[in-house]
Amino acid sequence: MTSVSAGDGPVPPPASPAGQGPPPGEPSPAVAVGPPPAGQGPAGLSPRAALRRYVLVSFLAWLPSGLTFPVMVLLMSSHGLGLAQIGAVTAVHSVVVVVLELPTGGLADVVGRRVVLAASAALSMAALVLMATATTVWPFLGWAVLQGTARALSSGPAQAWYVDTLHRAAGPDADLRHGLSRGEAAASFSLCLATLAGGFLPLAVPGGLIVPVLGGAVAALVLLAVVLAVLREPPRPRPALRAVLRDVPATVGGGVGLAVRDGGLRRLLAIVFLAGVGLAVIELFTPGRLAALTGDAESGSSVYAVVAAAGFGASALGSWLSPWVARVLGRPSRAGVAGMAGVALAFAVLASTAALTGAAGVVTAGAAYVLLFAGLAVAEVTRMSMMHERVESSRRATLMSVDSLQLQFGAALSAAGFGALAGVTGPSLVWWLTASVTLVSALLYIRLPAATPSRT
């Protein structure tokens, strides 16, 4: 879960004295890709203007998903799809995302972030219109292909655009944490509002379950217009199709190679893999836990919608506060450790209160859910900033696609392995094991290897 204001943020930590490297355990600053113009990015954008545009796009990008999340399964069920067919549609979506994740990241690095994000918005709009008019399994499968492609295309271009624009406007040593925290907070706040709206619109507006889906299509159209209007980039040569087909695999290979060679990047990618393990566990077992506590699936679903919205809100707050936490603790890596320690504590609370029933069980489960997403957001802003500081512009979107793949692989492995284990032992043991795994991920922030001298 991610991730609205462009106001002044926390003061960045002081730079290292001249002639000295960064403090032990912190990444080196990025190497500039060409001399940046003084004080302005592409098309005259200042750092503040770039931040406002990034926050706006981050907020709009998650509205379609948030609006459709509460009704997607119910809409398919209402048209006669069984659990096996719904599972197949979901699997197709996941497979498409995984297969296209790296190629679309390379594409964004080759042809530009703006055009790729615009294509994502257009495909998302088409997918949601198809879902709203679907009555059989085949159109829903078409939605899965289109939406999976849109999801893969959207994984990273906006954030890569912001980091590149900030580097051009303020130099390669510009502090990234403030802007990244605002973008992640905007995304989480968007999910919070949209999830609540998607859950209640069918009750308040004629049209039933289709209303949030059509609302998501309208939101995707707005996103498309905003992306085309505000995400300005320096002019790029328009490569021929043959050049794109040649350069995208080369860019993907270079980005993956960098992730393998750089010891710090390997650790940062391992952290997100382990975060995927925890996210899968919380999403897999929380709905059943709440249903058991409330007595039936319907009331459990309603409570889960509220808890999920609270989790998105906590994620927004954690993202917003992440730079402040890093400043208070003295260095970003300590904020990463503190955030993941909070996640581990949340899983420990779930495990230790598994025997509670009634209102006490609901309150403790909800509190753990909120703590988990707040802690994860604090750590995630830190981790993303560290990753961007190790990657040059030409491979930035590709590395973000590698990052997204690691999250998905961790979630898939966790869902399969821990899901089977919970069927035998119950969820309590799984929560304790996940708490232990999360503590391991916190340790990976300690004494992070310095960035490699050359990143070209």
Side-chain angles (χ1 to χ4, degrees):
M1 291 171 139
T2 59
S3 46
V4 261
S5 157
D8 293 334
V11 178
S16 301
Q20 296 183 13
E26 299 302 327
S28 301
V31 176
V33 183
Q40 291 187 338
L45 290 183
S46 67
R48 185 177 293 274
L51 176 59
R52 286 197 298 266
R53 296 176 185 217
Y54 171 53
V55 166
L56 175 61
V57 170
S58 297
F59 180 84
L60 294 174
W62 286 99
L63 284 179
S65 297
L67 285 166
T68 55
F69 168 69
V71 300
M72 182 178 65
V73 173
L74 294 174
L75 182 62
M76 287 189 275
S77 298
S78 70
H79 287 297
L81 274 67
L83 289 177
Q85 291 175 311
I86 294 173
V89 170
T90 305
V92 168
H93 177 273
S94 299
V95 168
V96 170
V97 173
V98 169
V99 169
L100 295 182
E101 190 71 75
L102 285 177
T104 54
L107 184 67
D109 282 331
V110 171
V111 304
R113 288 75 160 101
R114 179 172 175 259
V115 64
V116 168
L117 195 56
S120 170
L123 284 175
S124 181
M125 180 177 63
L128 292 172
V129 170
L130 182 60
M131 172 181 272
T133 57
T135 56
T136 65
V137 67
W138 292 107
F140 283 113
L141 287 171
W143 163 84
V145 172
L146 290 175
Q147 192 63 51
T149 305
R151 168 72 179 178
L153 286 167
S154 70
S155 178
Q159 194 176 109
W161 176 89
Y162 171 70
V163 174
D164 288 343
T165 304
L166 183 63
H167 281 169
R168 291 189 185 95
D173 294 329
D175 180 65
L176 301 176
R177 294 188 299 276
H178 172 63
L180 294 179
S181 73
R182 272 37 181 179
E184 289 296 295
S188 295
F189 186 61
S190 172
L191 280 169
C192 177
L193 293 181
T195 299
L196 289 174
F200 287 98
L201 274 175
L203 302 176
V205 179
L209 298 174
I210 293 177
V211 173
V213 179
L214 292 176
V218 172
L221 176 60
V222 173
L223 173 63
L224 173 61
V226 169
V227 166
L228 293 175
V230 308
L231 289 195
R232 304 175 188 173
E233 291 186 292
R236 290 174 180 259
R238 294 188 176 181
L241 178 60
R242 179 180 299 177
V244 173
L245 295 177
R246 179 191 67 237
D247 292 345
V248 168
T251 302
V252 170
V256 173
L258 176 62
V260 171
R261 291 192 307 272
D262 188 305
L265 276 177
R266 288 200 301 271
R267 280 211 204 177
L268 294 171
L269 292 170
I271 290 170
V272 78
F273 176 88
L274 296 175
V277 171
L279 283 173
V281 167
I282 198 71
E283 292 176 1
L284 189 61
F285 299 122
T286 301
R289 167 71 170 153
L290 292 175
L293 289 170
T294 57
D296 59 73
E298 289 75 14
S299 58
S301 176
S302 300
V303 172
Y304 179 59
V306 174
V307 169
F312 289 132
S315 181
L317 180 62
S319 296
W320 189 274
L321 293 177
S322 183
W324 175 81
V325 173
R327 185 180 62 182
V328 168
L329 295 180
R331 61 179 56 178
S333 59
R334 292 174 181 170
V337 172
M340 296 312 292
V343 176
L345 176 61
F347 279 113
V349 169
L350 285 171
S352 59
T353 60
L356 289 179
T357 59
V362 172
V363 169
T364 54
Y369 198 92
V370 168
L371 174 62
L372 185 148
F373 282 103
L376 188 61
V378 168
E380 183 64 6
V381 170
T382 295
R383 194 188 64 82
M384 288 188 301
S385 175
M386 290 178 167
M387 195 172 81
H388 283 299
E389 289 167 352
R390 296 170 175 270
V391 182
E392 75 277 9
S393 175
S394 63
R395 294 171 182 165
R396 194 176 309 284
T398 300
L399 257 294
M400 296 191 69
S401 290
V402 175
D403 189 70
S404 180
L405 270 181
Q406 285 290 96
L407 180 72
Q408 293 169 44
F409 288 153
L413 181 63
S414 172
F418 282 163
L421 179 62
V424 177
T425 67
S428 182
L429 176 60
V430 170
W431 283 326
W432 281 121
L433 290 174
T434 308
S436 302
V437 167
T438 306
L439 281 178
V440 170
S441 71
L443 296 176
L444 293 176
Y445 281 104
I446 299 174
R447 301 189 63 82
L448 198 72
T452 54
S454 173
R455 298 199 306 257
T456 59

